[in-house]
Amino acid sequence: MRLSKGYWKTYKEIPSDAEIPSHQLMMRAGLIFKTAAGIYSYLPMALRAIHKIEAIIRKEHKRINAHEIQMSMVTPGDLWKESGRWDTMGSEMARLKDAAGRDMCLSPTNEETITDIFRMTVDSYKQLPLSLYQINTKFRDELRPRFGLMRGREFLMKDAYSFHIDKDSLDEVYNDFYQCYSNIFESLGLDYIVVEADAGAMASSDQKTHEFQVIADNGEDTVVVCHETSYAANVEKAKSKRGKLDFLPEAELKEISTPNAKTIAEVCELLGKPKHQSLKSLVYSAIYGEKEVHYLILLLGDDELNEVKLKSFLSCDHLAPTKDSILTELNLPIGYIGPIGASLPIVFDEAVDLNCSYVAGANKVDTHFEGLTPSRDVKNFKTADLRLAQEGDYDQSGKYKIEIKRGIEVGHIFQLGNKYSKAMNATVLDKNGKAVAPLMGCYGIGVTRTLQAAIEQNHDENGIIWPKPIAPYHIYLGVIAKKDPTKKIAQELYEELLKEGFEVLFDDRGVGPGVMFKDADLIGLPIRVVIGERDFEKDGEIEIFLRKSGEKFKVQRDELISEVKKYWEGL
Ligand code: ATP
Ligand code: MG
């Protein structure tokens, strides 16, 4: 593309709402335009990269025999009422009424639509397994849209759905998608890991789910990895063990005065004890349909609760910390809550050694217990793995250290079981002519999130460093010349590079070197070629610059094409 005839604008200023580098760079490099909070328009440079991501996605989906379709963006509320999600989706789903007053919504995801298509178009087990996918706009009215395309309200998603007569078939196709996703993120040139994810409270234990996470310091997700055992899991689900701790042996139960010491830190400081010799008491309210149950959760004083694990353990619909007003009604004094005398169901985290003694609240203001030994002093409790993995932990064998990293969830694959097919009465006839609800899988990739994740992972202080497979153009060709022959040679080089199959952004705007080099660094195409009047007319030299390594080479005009080809191959 000749920039003199192009449509591209770059900016020096960092937009005030752009908190992370990739968002700043996308705005500054003129990739996207903010139309409203969390709603962006994609400008030519971004669109070219998006099309490349889509092409890679399509190629890999073809290999696993998934068929591309495009579902409507607006779905009738009736479908969501059939699945039961009209009432449970919450404010993320944007609802509207059509002119006839019917409920409609902007698709945040498409299980309902696909299940409707399936039940009307597929009849027999012989047509299974079947995988369908689309690349389409999703709308989720996220409460906190942020980081540009990373957490948008309107975004592009590739979503696929598969249908199966039995679990073996679901497992097989699930593995195909696992491999397909690995190939996609590999082909995109991204540093990613696959982690075990949380399947949600209602999932059965054999329902698999994995997330594809691009490792980046600014990622919103936390992942736990253990190199030695190749274990990797989202922290929501991760199991890990504490290292050896010096717990106190069983001791006499003693009430002690702890005036104004409400937090673990205050109590432990007052008593001169490390935090893990105390118990943290948390009260949570779990909602089951119309019913609410309050639970007392006990963790080691320096552990944090993993709410996702707790929600799974309690198998409830909703979970939240109990409100202060309810704690007062339950006679639980904030800052002094503990297991003795609390008339709530009690759950201890598994990291608590029940035969050792701890400091814990005495359910009396300004008072704690010392020597509280759970197995001796607490009646009726359960234990579960409820703690959040933390730095310094070991894997489950207790042998190897785990690492905690930040990640961006770019893909998610999920076994759904027959939840939607059953609820929406989608059936096929099995071998015996019996109508059965097929099992389903669903598989998503955040296309626009992936684009930004690629930039978050590949940039420096001067701009983007595009991974080769998705760079909007291959080469930034700049000419700094007022007249021929340099100007003319630049034109010739442009034509020749195009003929060789390169995608070339030809900066023929006539701007000075300062502006040109800044823009070239900012947009960060893999190779920059600059022909400048002064050097070219003096020594016949043209400069090749590799954006990623920062290497520069001077070459002669007649060797330019072969040299560019060589460097391109080597990238
Ligand atoms: P998150 O936990 O980040 O909110 P999710 O688990 O709700 O995402 P899925 O329903 O699994 O998302 O959607 C599939 C993929 O769509 C995600 O892996 C992610 O890449 C992408 N995605 C989800 N929400 C957004 C968003 N608000 N903006 C951009 N991409 C998104
Ligand atoms: Mg997800």
Side-chain angles (χ1 to χ4, degrees):
M1 203 244 319
R2 289 173 204 274
L3 263 186
S4 59
K5 297 187 171 55
Y7 171 63
W8 183 45
K9 184 169 159 63
T10 57
Y11 302 84
K12 277 206 195 71
E13 314 74 37
I14 297 172
S16 58
D17 66 342
E19 295 162 61
I20 59 172
S22 53
H23 185 193
Q24 296 169 357
L25 288 170
M26 292 197 97
M27 299 296 295
R28 287 189 48 219
L31 295 179
I32 53 173
F33 177 86
K34 182 174 169 184
T35 297
I39 301 181
Y40 290 86
S41 299
Y42 314 128
L43 302 179
M45 294 287 183
L47 208 51
R48 288 183 69 94
I50 288 172
H51 288 156
K52 292 188 179 186
I53 297 174
E54 290 177 345
I56 291 171
I57 289 176
R58 288 197 168 95
K59 180 171 158 222
E60 293 300 331
H61 277 68
K62 197 167 168 193
R63 283 161 63 137
I64 59 164
N65 202 30
H67 309 288
E68 184 168 6
I69 60 170
Q70 188 153 332
M71 289 179 256
S72 68
M73 210 251 152
V74 175
T75 16
D78 282 349
L79 288 180
W80 294 82
K81 288 172 193 168
E82 273 191 71
S83 73
R85 288 209 287 183
W86 185 255
D87 296 323
T88 57
M89 279 306 278
S91 64
E92 267 194 20
M93 188 157 86
R95 295 149 210 258
L96 57 140
K97 292 239 186 246
D98 70 7
R102 284 180 291 248
D103 283 325
M104 312 291 276
C105 74
L106 301 183
S107 298
T109 175
N110 280 107
E111 283 80 5
E112 281 75 2
T113 314
I114 200 80
T115 307
D116 186 38
I117 293 175
F118 179 87
R119 69 181 167 184
M120 304 309 270
T121 58
V122 180
D123 316 301
S124 160
Y125 76 97
K126 289 184 189 146
Q127 293 161 277
L128 305 186
L130 176 67
S131 301
L132 302 171
Y133 79 97
Q134 66 170 347
I135 301 177
N136 208 348
T137 299
K138 295 279 178 293
F139 191 87
R140 292 184 184 178
D141 208 350
E142 301 266 2
L143 285 177
R144 287 186 62 207
R146 61 205 160 119
F147 303 155
L149 304 187
M150 210 77 104
R151 183 164 298 283
R153 293 199 291 162
E154 184 178 306
F155 57 96
L156 271 181
M157 195 203 283
K158 186 290 304 183
D159 43 330
Y161 306 87
S162 67
F163 297 86
H164 311 272
I165 196 70
D166 57 29
K167 181 71 164 59
D168 282 349
S169 163
L170 172 57
D171 283 344
E172 201 175 303
V173 172
Y174 184 87
N175 289 340
D176 286 348
F177 271 99
Y178 188 117
Q179 192 55 52
C180 167
Y181 274 39
S182 303
N183 294 346
I184 289 169
F185 294 114
E186 192 81 35
S187 302
L188 291 173
L190 297 176
D191 178 14
Y192 73 97
I193 55 170
V194 192
V195 304
E196 290 176 20
D198 175 63
M202 304 303 163
S204 69
S205 59
D206 67 345
Q207 236 165 291
K208 293 181 198 162
T209 173
H210 290 90
E211 288 168 354
F212 289 72
Q213 296 270 356
V214 163
I215 299 304
D217 291 343
N218 285 311
E220 286 188 288
D221 285 23
T222 305
V223 296
V224 169
V225 292
C226 178
H227 286 295
E228 286 83 355
T229 60
S230 301
Y231 176 75
N234 190 311
V235 77
E236 291 180 344
K237 153 109 183 183
K239 287 182 181 295
S240 65
K241 281 220 161 89
R242 304 255 340 213
K244 190 125 192 62
L245 294 171
D246 54 335
F247 288 132
L248 297 174
E250 179 177 352
E252 191 194 336
L253 183 69
K254 264 197 296 195
E255 215 178 81
I256 45 170
S257 167
T258 51
N260 294 322
K262 290 188 170 186
T263 63
I264 295 282
E266 286 162 354
V267 178
C268 289
E269 203 192 318
L270 181 75
L271 303 175
K273 286 188 168 28
K275 290 182 191 158
H276 63 264
Q277 293 179 359
S278 72
L279 293 177
K280 180 181 276 181
S281 303
L282 301 170
V283 186
Y284 268 77
S285 302
I287 312 258
Y288 302 86
E290 308 279 284
K291 208 172 94 192
E292 189 175 37
V293 184
H294 312 295
Y295 291 90
L296 175 61
I297 312 300
L298 291 135
L299 302 153
L300 292 179
D302 56 352
D303 266 332
E304 300 295 330
L305 174 69
N306 182 331
E307 289 190 5
V308 177
K309 283 186 183 174
L310 180 60
K311 185 161 181 256
S312 282
F313 175 70
L314 298 177
S315 286
C316 55
D317 304 328
H318 291 286
L319 182 74
T322 303
K323 292 197 192 87
D324 288 359
S325 56
I326 297 181
L327 294 178
T328 311
E329 276 170 34
L330 295 168
N331 287 326
L332 297 171
I334 296 163
Y336 304 96
I337 300 174
I340 298 181
S343 48
L344 303 178
I346 295 176
V347 191
F348 278 93
D349 176 58
E350 283 171 357
V352 177
D353 185 332
L354 301 168
N355 297 315
C356 291
S357 67
Y358 302 87
V359 174
N363 292 321
K364 217 195 266 182
V365 175
D366 291 344
T367 315
H368 280 79
F369 279 124
E370 235 178 2
L372 191 150
T373 309
S375 59
R376 180 195 66 196
D377 300 328
V378 187
K379 309 274 163 301
N380 293 331
F381 58 81
K382 290 195 167 143
T383 59
D385 172 31
L386 299 176
R387 63 185 287 274
L388 202 60
Q390 54 171 306
E391 205 65 69
D393 280 0
Y394 289 80
D395 78 317
Q396 277 185 283
S397 73
K399 273 197 216 143
Y400 307 107
K401 274 237 159 134
I402 58 146
E403 256 186 274
I404 299 216
K405 297 188 177 195
R406 307 293 293 177
I408 302 167
E409 183 199 316
V410 286
H412 193 172
I413 57 177
F414 207 102
Q415 295 190 339
L416 293 169
N418 64 7
K419 179 175 165 189
Y420 295 95
S421 49
K422 214 167 133 191
M424 295 179 65
N425 205 16
T427 58
V428 289
L429 295 180
D430 71 5
K431 275 211 287 289
N432 308 313
K434 196 173 135 228
V436 291
L439 298 175
M440 291 171 64
C442 71
Y443 318 87
I445 291 180
V447 175
T448 38
R449 183 183 281 183
T450 299
L451 170 70
Q452 192 171 321
I455 297 174
E456 190 60 39
Q457 203 171 62
N458 299 283
H459 69 268
D460 63 13
E461 63 284 3
N462 298 321
I464 301 167
I465 304 173
W466 284 103
K468 180 176 157 182
I470 58 171
Y473 292 88
H474 302 157
I475 297 171
Y476 194 109
L477 171 65
V479 53
I480 305 165
K482 294 252 175 329
K483 52 186 187 329
D484 291 341
T486 312
K487 263 182 116 168
K488 193 164 146 271
I489 301 279
Q491 291 285 341
E492 284 172 18
L493 290 177
Y494 176 54
E495 304 292 340
E496 283 170 35
L497 287 167
L498 289 181
K499 227 180 255 152
E500 289 295 331
F502 287 109
E503 299 168 16
V504 187
L505 186 67
F506 181 21
D507 191 347
D508 59 348
R509 293 175 294 179
V511 295
V515 172
M516 179 182 292
F517 290 127
K518 273 218 153 41
D519 277 351
D521 277 348
L522 185 58
I523 193 63
L525 303 179
I527 297 181
R528 184 182 79 201
V529 175
V530 173
I531 175 164
E533 207 153 43
R534 212 183 49 202
D535 287 355
F536 186 67
E537 285 178 17
K538 191 162 136 257
D539 307 312
E541 279 179 347
I542 305 173
E543 186 187 82
I544 298 178
F545 171 75
L546 307 183
R547 178 69 178 91
K548 189 165 179 186
S549 67
E551 289 166 281
K552 278 183 187 162
F553 309 93
K554 300 276 186 199
V555 301
Q556 294 293 309
R557 192 249 174 276
D558 55 358
E559 57 185 13
L560 183 100
I561 300 290
S562 60
E563 288 294 289
V564 166
K565 275 162 89 171
K566 183 182 85 190
Y567 291 122
W568 177 254
E569 294 302 325
L571 285 179

